[in-house]
Amino acid sequence: MTTLTLAIRWNPIDWPLTHGPIPYAVLAAGWGAFALLALSRHERWRAPRMLGALLAGGALTALVKVAVDSWWRPFPEGTPDFVMRWVAVALFGISLLCFRAPLLSNRRRLLAVGGVALVVVMAASQINRGFDQYPTARSMLAPPTDELTRGRAAAVVGSAPDRPLSETWHAPPGLPAKGTLSTVTIPGPASGFSARPGYVYLPPAYQADPRPLLPVVVLLPGQPGAPEDWVNSGAIRDTLDAFAAEHQGLAPIVVVADETGGQFSNPLCMDSRIAKSQTYLAVDVPDWIHRNLQTATGRTSLAIGGLSLGGTCSLQLALNAPDVYGAFLDISGQDEPTLGSHGETVAKAFDGDENAFAAVDPMHLMTRRQFPDTAGMFVVGADDPWYRPGQEKMYAAAQAAGMKVGFQTIPGWHSWVVFRQAFEQNLPWLARQSGLIR
């Protein structure tokens, strides 16, 4: 075991937060603090105060549920039940503090505040365990990045007819062991879309001379979400470096783009009253790639993929811009682009025009046209009650539309446990579709 491995293992920011002793210790401490808040021998701490705290916690939980799912509505499918249960625990703990604080001395009141903090941290920890969003504290930090490699190499190596690039490429001596990750801003001159900064992963082979002309995968986050989710929670840099290490430094170039413009925004990846998100992804992003990166060209060399909303978008772009994207990876996507309901979506995005919606909706497109030259993969959590039925429905429709598609389930539900594995397991598939490997 190397010194570096030991240093990483003993660095607290790399300790696991979703499995192992830490989340269970937080759980035990949180419930212990909750019990101390709820139980008291104080003569004025009677059933009425306990009942008042319970009613207050329940009322606050109901208010949060209504505010989030009925008024704000940042999540089209609604807030998961397990999230609301832990929110209720946290709010009940806060209510207990409010009702007990007048009975406590200053010192005990301060301890009670600390106890409530433990309850809130416990609830947040359990929600994080459910989504596996932050497997370590490091995944909460901004990822380290490199300067983007610019300029075009004079000598290049392309794929030979009927042979993958991996069979004609020979890694030169001194090739870096790992790829680079750079922050980039992809403007929207054709769409007018204002996107957040994204990321570009360039594999080790991109630094070679002659340079291999590599395929590109455009990767999209979910909603709520941001491009850095794929880097931090998705650990794509490690996945791509591992793939490159097995293929003489070769791997797809990955561009993580922003399809929403905001953490809770949802322009549906369509050109509509909301935004021209489709034009951004079908015109602006590919144009930026070809202007700034030296890559293989043609629709078979450009794939698109994503998770949740990003998965829905990847299917939409493959169908609405089949001349741009030759393959797609739909991870836990929806069966229809939505802002919460079909009626609301059509009203807000298309002024109630059903024909305008049908012209770009994936299901309508697949019932009207054939797509024999498009390859796709649908992946979903085996225990995902929301998205699995929709993924099965869209997979059947894609088969009927003549696509070369596959369907996979991964143990888990709508979480990063599934999303990470989906990308890792299908990276070789993406590489085969583009002629990178056999």
Side-chain angles (χ1 to χ4, degrees):
M1 186 177 296
T2 66
T3 303
L4 177 61
T5 302
L6 283 170
I8 292 175
R9 175 170 293 184
W10 290 105
N11 191 333
I13 66 172
D14 292 306
W15 293 351
L17 300 180
T18 56
H19 64 276
I22 291 179
Y24 289 103
V26 172
L27 190 67
W31 280 124
F34 189 93
L36 291 174
L37 286 166
L39 303 176
S40 174
R41 292 180 295 177
H42 196 287
E43 61 181 11
R44 294 173 58 191
W45 183 248
R46 295 287 187 265
R49 286 184 177 270
M50 174 70 81
L51 180 60
L54 180 61
L55 292 175
L60 288 172
T61 302
L63 181 60
V64 169
K65 176 73 173 174
V66 171
V68 173
D69 289 345
S70 298
W71 300 339
W72 184 18
R73 302 185 69 177
F75 318 111
E77 296 78 20
T79 308
D81 290 341
F82 87 93
V83 173
M84 289 309 307
R85 286 195 294 269
W86 284 108
V87 168
V89 169
L91 292 175
F92 186 30
I94 293 171
S95 298
L96 285 169
L97 173 64
C98 293
F99 276 77
R100 285 202 62 182
L103 308 179
L104 302 174
S105 64
N106 290 337
R107 178 173 172 275
R108 289 180 180 272
R109 194 175 297 133
L110 184 61
L111 291 173
V113 170
V116 168
L118 283 174
V119 172
V120 172
V121 169
M122 172 183 68
S125 171
Q126 294 305 303
I127 292 172
N128 183 47
R129 288 187 71 197
F131 289 112
D132 205 49
Q133 178 85 29
Y134 302 110
T136 65
R138 187 183 295 277
S139 62
M140 302 180 190
L141 306 176
T145 55
D146 311 286
E147 187 73 23
L148 181 67
T149 301
R150 298 187 181 274
R152 296 182 177 269
V156 295
V157 178
S159 297
D162 301 321
R163 293 185 68 188
L165 180 60
S166 62
E167 294 181 5
T168 60
W169 160 259
H170 300 287
L175 195 69
K178 297 183 181 297
T180 62
L181 182 74
S182 306
T183 305
V184 298
T185 298
I186 303 178
S191 63
F193 187 75
S194 181
R196 293 168 292 175
Y199 293 86
V200 170
Y201 171 86
L202 298 175
Y206 195 85
Q207 311 300 328
D209 185 10
R211 174 179 290 163
L213 296 180
L214 300 167
V216 180
V217 176
V218 175
L219 206 54
L220 306 175
Q223 183 270 339
E228 56 262 29
D229 293 345
W230 269 117
V231 177
N232 291 340
S233 302
I236 59 167
R237 187 174 191 171
D238 292 341
T239 299
L240 289 160
D241 280 343
F243 182 91
E246 296 176 358
H247 296 89
Q248 300 188 78
L250 295 174
I253 295 168
V254 172
V255 176
V256 186
D258 176 31
E259 83 276 28
T260 64
Q263 183 79 2
F264 295 99
S265 302
N266 184 3
L268 298 167
C269 292
M270 295 174 166
D271 287 353
S272 71
R273 289 180 57 204
I274 301 172
K276 289 188 176 181
S277 183
Q278 178 179 307
T279 297
Y280 178 72
L281 294 170
V283 178
D284 291 326
V285 171
D287 284 355
W288 183 92
I289 290 170
H290 296 315
R291 283 197 312 270
N292 291 273
L293 303 174
Q294 194 170 13
T295 73
T297 57
R299 66 183 298 275
T300 58
S301 297
L302 189 58
I304 188 166
L307 67 97
S308 196
L309 175 66
T312 311
C313 293
S314 68
L315 176 59
Q316 288 177 236
L317 268 294
L319 298 175
N320 284 288
D323 56 326
V324 178
Y325 296 104
F328 68 89
L329 174 61
D330 182 351
I331 305 172
S332 303
Q334 302 152 310
D335 59 0
E336 181 180 277
T338 181
L339 295 173
S341 70
H342 177 80
E344 183 179 1
T345 302
V346 176
K348 288 186 176 180
F350 297 100
D351 278 328
D353 187 343
E354 287 282 357
N355 291 329
F357 176 81
V360 291
D361 172 58
M363 182 57 76
H364 286 87
L365 288 171
M366 288 188 289
T367 57
R368 293 197 306 263
R369 293 178 55 187
Q370 292 287 296
F371 297 86
D373 297 325
T374 296
M377 186 66 70
F378 294 90
V379 190
V380 69
D383 304 316
D384 191 337
W386 298 333
Y387 292 86
R388 180 169 179 172
Q391 286 286 81
E392 292 171 344
K393 175 182 174 182
M394 302 308 282
Y395 168 62
Q399 284 183 306
M403 294 186 206
K404 300 181 285 289
V405 290
F407 181 85
Q408 299 174 358
T409 60
I410 293 175
W413 74 296
H414 203 69
S415 76
W416 279 99
V417 170
V418 171
F419 306 151
R420 277 192 295 270
Q421 291 186 60
F423 180 75
E424 181 179 2
Q425 292 180 17
N426 284 285
L427 181 55
W429 177 83
L430 288 166
R432 284 193 294 272
Q433 303 311 308
S434 60
L436 184 62
I437 64 173
R438 187 177 297 279

